Amino acid sequence: MKSIRIGLIGTGFMGKTHLWSVKNLPFFYKTADMGYTAEVVSVCGSGMEKAQAFATEFGIPKAVATPEEIIADPAVDVVDICTPNPLHFEVAKAAILAGKSVLCEKPLTVTSAEADELARLAGERGVICGTVFNNRFLAPVMRARQLIDEGKLGRILSFEFTYKHNSCIDPDRRVGWKQTAEYGGGTWYDLGPHVLDLCHYLCGELSFLLGKSQIAYPTHLRADGTVWETDADEAFYVICGAQNGAMGTVTVSKLTQGANDELTFMVNGERGSLSFSLMDPNYLNFYDATAVGAPMGGARGYTRIECVGRYPSPASGFPAIKAPQGWLRGHMGCMAGYLSAVANGTACSPSFADGAYVQRVLEAAAESDRLGREVKLC
């Protein structure tokens, strides 16, 4: 059985999420069917002190001071990048050139040129490189893709994808790197990759778009309490068309009062419709327009499909298939799918090519906002 040894770069929230996914794989997936085991064997963070504290707390054998040490370590098979956006490119490129497989958090890079270069290098070097789009691996999203592939919706006519938080409404809240243009921040580059990937995954590639940003609060406060002039969008709105002829909207906002982690989508076709909310993650809503409609005897109406924990093999059935699933389950599914590709030497999905596609759309929408006009994508 293949043993995959992972070097983790980043000790923040996402680093902890990836570590949790690796450590818990044997509970959720049948190891014999997966054909591999995985372990995080080394970690580095923003400094040696943080890396050592993280390694001690979570039982990681080795802490190092720099990403270069992880990349150069012959004991590391996979470099797992969980750093702020501007740090992705150089580390991923160095790892690919060193012959390492790479798993990288979204967005893949800050610019589409960087993302395209990484996707090209990954293909040339023959290493397995994946982008983390964890929401693909939630059971209702997987079921939605299955229904679309089975033709249950017929020709797709329209779509709506939204992701809403409330974290930019309070002007007294201290800003972090995700709210600053300097670090590739803003709501569009933070939440946009998730919904753009789902739109791509379920509805295909886009042909054009028209984007518009919003800043509702011109000033916020820095960590030290001084006034900071807002330089990155707090919400972003896109009207777009897919290559298959469907039309739709993609909206991301951190200006939505009452929102928590409100990712939603609706896909409408000639034969049916689908809708989903991340805050109700156990169910997919499906409307079958081919069902009989009749007074007091029809069967039309939305069906609430109980996806819950019904994952395909090699899922182990733990926790029970009726047990409610949570946000972490998508990250675990993404990790399992990527590591399976590494173990088998096969192409992974979502790949760096998928990450590069999303990056091109992000950039095109930002360009549309700057120019004040529609931008073609193909």
Side-chain angles (χ1 to χ4, degrees):
M1 181 167 300
K2 185 175 180 63
S3 174
I4 301 174
R5 300 160 299 181
I6 301 167
L8 178 63
I9 302 176
T11 58
F13 179 76
M14 292 316 305
K16 188 178 291 187
T17 300
H18 285 217
L19 176 63
W20 182 91
S21 297
V22 174
K23 281 182 171 289
N24 285 279
L25 281 171
F27 289 98
F28 289 79
Y29 294 89
K30 298 174 183 177
T31 302
D33 292 343
M34 288 194 302
Y36 68 87
T37 60
E39 178 188 8
V40 174
V41 297
S42 63
V43 63
C44 76
S46 57
M48 188 63 191
E49 185 177 347
K50 284 188 176 180
Q52 188 59 65
F54 193 87
T56 300
E57 182 176 4
F58 296 108
I60 299 172
K62 186 178 181 181
V64 298
T66 66
E68 289 76 15
E69 292 175 77
I70 284 180
I71 293 169
D73 189 346
V76 170
D77 304 307
V78 169
V79 175
D80 187 355
I81 302 172
C82 299
T83 58
N85 305 350
L87 305 180
H88 291 179
F89 174 70
E90 293 297 341
V91 174
K93 181 176 179 179
I96 292 170
L97 293 177
K100 305 287 188 182
S101 293
V102 182
L103 180 65
C104 185
E105 263 297 330
K106 65 81 199 167
L108 182 55
T109 57
V110 175
T111 70
S112 61
E114 291 176 342
D116 287 340
E117 182 176 352
L118 291 183
R120 176 182 59 79
L121 284 173
E124 290 176 355
R125 297 292 173 128
V127 290
I128 311 300
C129 293
T131 309
V132 176
F133 290 124
N134 50 291
N135 292 300
R136 282 194 189 193
F137 298 90
L138 296 170
V141 177
M142 296 168 71
R143 182 68 175 123
R145 174 61 185 264
Q146 185 181 52
L147 289 169
I148 291 171
D149 287 346
E150 291 173 352
K152 297 296 186 182
L153 268 61
R155 181 167 64 99
I156 295 176
L157 303 174
S158 65
F159 53 83
E160 301 171 20
F161 290 84
T162 70
Y163 207 167
K164 298 177 181 179
H165 285 186
N166 65 355
S167 50
C168 286
I169 295 175
D170 182 1
D172 295 326
R173 178 174 176 172
R174 283 7 183 205
V175 297
W177 67 266
K178 287 187 177 183
Q179 287 79 49
T180 62
E182 178 184 1
Y183 290 100
T187 300
W188 181 234
Y189 275 80
D190 184 27
L191 302 183
H194 285 298
V195 281
L196 286 176
D197 179 66
L198 287 183
C199 183
H200 180 210
Y201 184 58
L202 297 176
C203 300
E205 294 191 1
L206 299 179
S207 59
F208 73 90
L209 55 77
L210 177 65
K212 183 64 178 175
S213 65
Q214 179 186 12
I215 293 176
Y217 295 91
T219 62
H220 286 271
L221 296 179
R222 297 186 179 92
D224 61 6
T226 59
V227 175
W228 170 77
E229 293 187 5
T230 307
D231 65 354
D233 62 86
E234 297 171 323
F236 206 97
Y237 311 89
V238 176
I239 299 172
C240 48
Q243 291 185 21
N244 60 17
M247 293 280 293
T249 59
V250 177
T251 301
V252 296
S253 175
K254 293 186 179 180
L255 298 172
T256 309
Q257 196 65 272
N260 288 287
D261 198 25
E262 309 278 350
L263 185 156
T264 68
F265 67 74
M266 174 173 279
V267 181
N268 304 300
E270 288 182 316
R271 303 183 64 197
S273 295
L274 297 169
S275 68
F276 169 74
S277 170
L278 184 59
M279 298 304 290
D280 191 13
N282 298 295
Y283 296 92
L284 174 70
N285 299 305
F286 170 51
Y287 182 87
D288 184 357
T290 67
V292 175
M296 299 301 294
R300 280 189 179 172
Y302 271 97
T303 298
R304 191 167 156 87
I305 300 173
E306 51 176 30
C307 300
V308 200
R310 292 169 173 81
Y311 287 89
S313 178
S316 67
F318 174 89
I321 61 172
K322 293 184 178 182
Q325 65 172 325
W327 178 82
L328 283 166
R329 190 61 179 79
H331 274 281
M332 171 164 294
C334 188
M335 181 67 72
Y338 170 73
L339 293 177
S340 291
V342 172
N344 295 313
T346 56
C348 70
S349 180
S351 65
F352 269 20
D354 293 311
Y357 169 79
V358 167
Q359 204 71 38
R360 288 193 294 275
V361 179
L362 287 170
E363 203 164 280
E367 180 186 10
S368 172
D369 180 45
R370 286 192 301 270
L371 299 175
R373 62 172 175 79
E374 179 183 302
V375 169
K376 301 288 185 183
L377 291 165
C378 63

